[in-house]
Amino acid sequence: MPYIVGLNSGSSFDGIDAVLCSIEIEEDGHPGRPKYIDGISEQWPEDLQPLVLKAFANDLSIFDLCRLNYAGGAAYAELTNKLLAKAGLKPEDIDVVGYDGQTIYQEPPDREKERDFVASGSQSLVERWTKGGFACGLFIVESGVVAALTDITTVTQFRPIDHALGGSGAPLMQYLDFCSFRKEGPIVTLNIGGIANLQLADTDRHKMMAFDTGPGNVMIDHVTKVREGKPFDAGGALAAKGEVIPDLLARLEGHKFFLRKPPRSAWRLDFGGAHANQILEDYKTASTEDLLATLTLFTAGSIERSVVDFILPRSPIKTVIASGGGTKNETLIGHLRKALASYEVDLRVSDEYGLPAPFKEAIKFATLAFACKNSLANNIPAAGGASSFAVLGKLSLAPRLAKNGGTVPDSVRFNHDRDVQFNCSP
């Protein structure tokens, strides 16, 4: 049973997670549910954090973004090497490392433009993005750097192929849910990261759904950082002390994102720092507790709204399995549990199924990478809108797998200008 490593840094940008799992292909030809073995988390290196935030705001030069892309790869490689050291494993023990990279920008598909483009009969591939409204995005953390500095085959960049096939490319959780729950489906999973998303998993992939519900932690975290200097509202304690601001809640619920129909995706341009900063400006006299109480109820309500509007009409589900950092927010989960109970839907946590909630997104990328390395279709067209099944991911082979290479002499490995020898081994 191969070992796989998954890494994740999500839209909330609250650290990097690394997980070690094992996985095997089952009799039906699909991977089974991954078996979680170990995991670690760390903050991004302090000198890289402000650069990523500048990139989010489109305030970083292309030159600095280029170097950040490589430095981010080094940060991911360091965390991978730490995980292997903790587990007592060597690079050759690992089948593949998988991650999507840090999303810097993501533009969801414009479905109306897509339909008009297809109806026009245009054969131009370029016009898919100049006129056709196809999705696109920018995802950093160079896979070649990770492969080189860990000596492990690395797969990343899972979204572009789905985008090119007309898919939303987000969310991506549905493939892991198919692998994990296809024998128990139909079943609904919820991931509350920076953005929250729902997946309807089924044995028949043509019946599956996956779409973003709206904000997860991203605005809650932002307000907490600005007002309190803390990375997040631990346990939802601040929100629990506040009172909901009715007119702000109504304003949030009227966001144009909710006019989109699944498959839909959201990003920081919808519910990010700029949106949260405007709220902070417009409600500068409101207490932190009241703002967080409102944002937390809004997040729970947008999830409830998505379940009621899009899931229950298709499938009489009785269980929602939650994961992601948002499961640690007791106030958020309390709102959501109460709301779903009124529809006789039980809210459970993925830990009960062997998938630790804080690490499920990293497990997702490990599973996607394993499928890519084995040439298995790892998108769900019915869920994301792509025109066909495909193998998502770009593969960078481990240097140790190079054939016809041989040993590099010291005279070649030597930097003659500075009289320093490079050692590229992890």
Side-chain angles (χ1 to χ4, degrees):
M1 184 179 293
Y3 287 120
I4 53 177
V5 169
L7 301 113
N8 179 65
S9 174
S11 53
S12 56
F13 186 57
D14 54 0
I16 308 171
D17 300 324
V19 296
L20 175 67
C21 306
S22 61
I23 196 168
E24 62 182 4
I25 297 176
E26 298 188 339
E27 291 182 0
D28 62 1
H30 298 291
R33 183 183 301 171
K35 290 182 170 56
Y36 170 80
I37 298 171
D38 203 354
I40 55 176
S41 300
E42 285 190 357
Q43 292 296 314
W44 274 78
E46 288 187 9
D47 53 342
L48 299 187
Q49 291 179 24
L51 299 178
V52 177
L53 292 174
K54 283 186 176 182
F56 286 158
N58 195 24
D59 194 29
L60 193 69
S61 75
I62 190 67
F63 308 112
D64 289 333
L65 183 62
C66 174
R67 186 158 291 276
L68 174 61
N69 182 37
Y70 278 59
Y76 272 41
E78 282 188 344
L79 191 59
T80 301
N81 291 336
K82 286 181 182 179
L83 179 62
L84 265 63
K86 181 183 179 187
L89 296 173
K90 300 176 182 178
E92 53 265 33
D93 297 322
I94 308 300
D95 185 59
V96 68
V97 170
Y99 64 89
D100 197 48
Q102 178 62 57
T103 301
I104 296 300
Y105 173 73
Q106 186 159 281
E107 188 175 304
D110 185 323
R111 296 301 184 188
E112 184 175 348
K113 283 187 177 180
E114 276 189 340
R115 286 191 292 270
D116 291 344
F117 177 77
V118 172
S120 74
S122 172
Q123 298 301 305
S124 171
L125 300 181
V126 173
E127 288 182 356
R128 292 183 178 213
W129 287 275
T130 59
K131 297 180 180 179
F134 277 53
C136 59
L138 178 64
F139 318 97
I140 65 168
V141 181
E142 173 54 49
S143 62
V145 172
V146 176
L149 299 184
T150 63
D151 208 12
I152 303 170
T153 294
T154 301
V155 178
T156 185
Q157 300 273 346
F158 296 101
R159 303 180 199 270
I161 291 180
D162 202 63
H163 287 163
L165 293 171
S168 60
L172 286 173
M173 188 65 76
Q174 57 267 28
Y175 183 70
L176 171 59
D177 289 339
F178 170 73
C179 294
S180 300
F181 301 112
R182 65 183 180 276
K183 297 176 182 177
E184 303 175 28
I187 200 166
V188 168
T189 70
L190 163 67
N191 187 70
I192 311 174
I195 301 296
N197 48 70
L198 285 170
Q199 289 72 222
L200 175 62
D202 197 289
T203 303
D204 184 350
R205 286 175 288 177
H206 300 298
K207 296 180 180 179
M208 289 182 62
M209 293 182 72
F211 60 96
D212 288 338
T213 65
N217 308 311
V218 63
M219 291 202 297
I220 296 171
D221 290 352
H222 186 86
V223 169
T224 306
K225 289 173 186 175
V226 172
R227 284 289 189 91
E228 302 293 321
K230 299 177 180 178
F232 52 86
D233 181 11
L238 292 172
K241 297 176 182 177
E243 298 290 335
V244 171
I245 305 170
D247 61 310
L248 174 56
L249 181 61
R251 168 177 160 176
L252 291 164
E253 291 175 340
H255 194 290
K256 63 182 181 180
F257 168 80
F258 298 108
L259 298 177
R260 303 177 199 163
K261 305 296 182 185
R264 67 186 184 191
S265 57
W267 176 234
R268 298 180 74 97
L269 293 183
D270 293 303
F271 304 105
H275 193 56
N277 282 336
Q278 189 61 56
I279 291 171
L280 287 168
E281 175 63 25
D282 294 344
Y283 291 85
K284 61 178 65 176
T285 61
S287 71
T288 301
E289 290 81 359
D290 289 354
L291 288 172
L292 291 175
T294 307
L295 289 170
T296 301
L297 183 62
F298 168 56
T299 294
S302 62
I303 295 169
E304 174 196 1
R305 183 172 169 181
S306 294
V307 171
V308 173
D309 290 349
F310 304 121
I311 299 293
L312 290 179
R314 283 185 67 156
S315 180
I317 55 104
K318 293 297 182 183
T319 302
V320 171
I321 304 171
S323 63
T327 59
K328 301 300 183 183
N329 186 322
E330 296 174 10
T331 303
L332 172 59
I333 293 300
H335 286 321
L336 192 54
R337 194 181 302 278
K338 180 179 178 181
L340 294 178
S342 64
Y343 302 96
E344 298 183 346
V345 175
D346 183 32
L347 181 66
R348 304 178 72 175
V349 180
S350 63
D351 299 64
E352 300 174 41
Y353 299 84
L355 300 170
F359 288 124
K360 193 182 174 202
E361 287 196 86
I363 295 171
K364 164 188 70 180
F365 289 124
T367 307
L368 284 164
F370 176 78
C372 174
K373 189 168 180 290
N374 286 278
S375 302
L376 300 174
N378 55 1
N379 68 334
I380 309 287
S387 59
S388 69
F389 285 100
V391 179
L392 309 184
K394 300 178 183 178
L395 185 147
S396 297
L397 289 174
R400 61 186 166 80
L401 299 179
K403 298 179 179 179
N404 298 334
T407 302
V408 179
D410 287 346
S411 60
V412 175
R413 298 175 66 241
F414 213 77
N415 183 319
H416 298 284
D417 293 333
R418 290 183 294 169
D419 201 32
V420 175
Q421 187 172 354
F422 292 108
N423 183 359
C424 295
S425 60

